Amino acid sequence: MSGVLSTGSFILNIYFPLVFTLMAVFFLYIGLKVITSKKPLLLPSKVFFVFMVIAFSPQLIMSVETQFSTGVFSLLSLMSSIMYVVLLAFFWIQMKGYMAIGISDDSFRNALHYALDQNRIQFEEQVSLIKLTNSSADLLVSVQSWVGTGQLKLKQSKYNHLLNTLVPSINQYFQSHSVKTNSTTPVFYILIGLILLVLSVFFYSF
């Protein structure tokens, strides 16, 4: 039982503050970079998945440690561990491509067209979809204009090299053109980062 308590104390006083600090730095970096540069930011979706794993890890560690330290089979602990793993696997499948932060409808669309034209990729634009006629690939585009975020991914994973070709050109457009940015999500990220910093101090001194 003391092993469970010591593990719990480690997670509360050391692991939680470390996790909250890492996540705070991540959110503050994104929010401050978009606001100070006045340019949208394009990041691989898997980066957000990594921090999702970090956020889930304390609960998973506690479930597994409790199961082994007590020496008694617990269906609840086992199901909790399986649930976390399945949930993370689901998010791994869903979080493909790239996330755009601080965009507007026009800036994201213009950046995409610029990247496609610069790389001489013929395309046919449809609702939430751009068909790349050169390779028969489908580029899925999702924009939440009210919060200034978007997602860009290829429907067929075998054409991911095309997306990796487009991303530098999209970033080049953002950096070389005057674009309108939406600060809703960056401001929200800064608030989250500050809250996480307060929580890290709280748990460290708890």
Side-chain angles (χ1 to χ4, degrees):
M1 191 69 174
S2 59
V4 177
L5 291 175
S6 61
T7 302
S9 179
F10 167 79
I11 289 177
L12 282 176
N13 300 124
I14 298 177
Y15 195 75
F16 267 158
L18 180 61
V19 167
F20 288 147
T21 301
L22 287 173
M23 294 180 69
V25 170
F26 174 68
F27 284 116
L28 287 172
Y29 168 78
I30 294 176
L32 291 173
K33 183 172 178 59
V34 174
I35 289 177
T36 56
S37 67
K38 296 182 180 179
K39 300 288 185 181
L41 185 63
L42 202 60
L43 291 171
S45 298
K46 290 296 191 284
V47 173
F48 292 88
F49 175 81
V50 169
F51 281 90
M52 189 175 296
V53 171
I54 293 173
F56 275 112
S57 59
Q59 294 91 332
L60 183 59
I61 292 171
M62 285 292 289
S63 296
V64 173
E65 202 279 340
T66 301
Q67 183 78 37
F68 283 96
S69 63
T70 58
V72 179
F73 175 78
S74 172
L75 182 60
L76 181 60
S77 295
L78 179 61
M79 292 302 296
S80 296
S81 302
I82 294 175
M83 180 189 70
Y84 290 134
V85 173
V86 171
L87 193 60
L88 290 173
F90 172 78
F91 281 119
W92 172 262
I93 295 171
Q94 290 294 313
M95 300 181 77
K96 296 179 180 179
Y98 287 78
M99 292 286 294
I101 310 294
I103 60 167
S104 65
D105 281 323
D106 290 338
S107 66
F108 199 40
R109 184 172 182 271
N110 292 339
L112 276 174
H113 286 189
Y114 173 86
L116 290 165
D117 291 337
Q118 190 180 58
N119 290 279
R120 296 181 175 86
I121 299 176
Q122 297 179 359
F123 63 95
E124 178 185 334
E125 194 168 8
Q126 301 178 5
V127 178
S128 300
L129 176 70
I130 297 178
K131 297 186 72 67
L132 309 182
T133 54
N134 303 55
S135 56
S136 301
D138 296 327
L139 187 62
L140 302 177
V141 183
S142 174
V143 179
Q144 296 76 43
S145 57
W146 66 284
V147 291
T149 62
Q151 187 176 19
L152 190 65
K153 61 182 178 180
L154 279 163
K155 188 175 182 179
Q156 302 91 347
S157 299
K158 64 180 180 179
Y159 294 117
N160 278 339
H161 65 280
L162 291 175
L163 186 57
N164 295 331
T165 301
L166 292 174
V167 168
S169 298
I170 294 173
N171 282 324
Q172 182 183 21
Y173 178 87
F174 286 149
Q175 297 302 318
S176 61
H177 290 73
S178 177
V179 296
K180 181 182 178 182
T181 57
N182 186 325
S183 298
T184 303
T185 296
V187 169
F188 182 64
Y189 278 8
I190 291 174
L191 291 175
I192 291 177
L194 293 175
I195 291 171
L196 289 171
L197 282 179
V198 172
L199 288 174
S200 68
V201 173
F202 171 78
F203 279 102
Y204 183 73
S205 58
F206 184 72

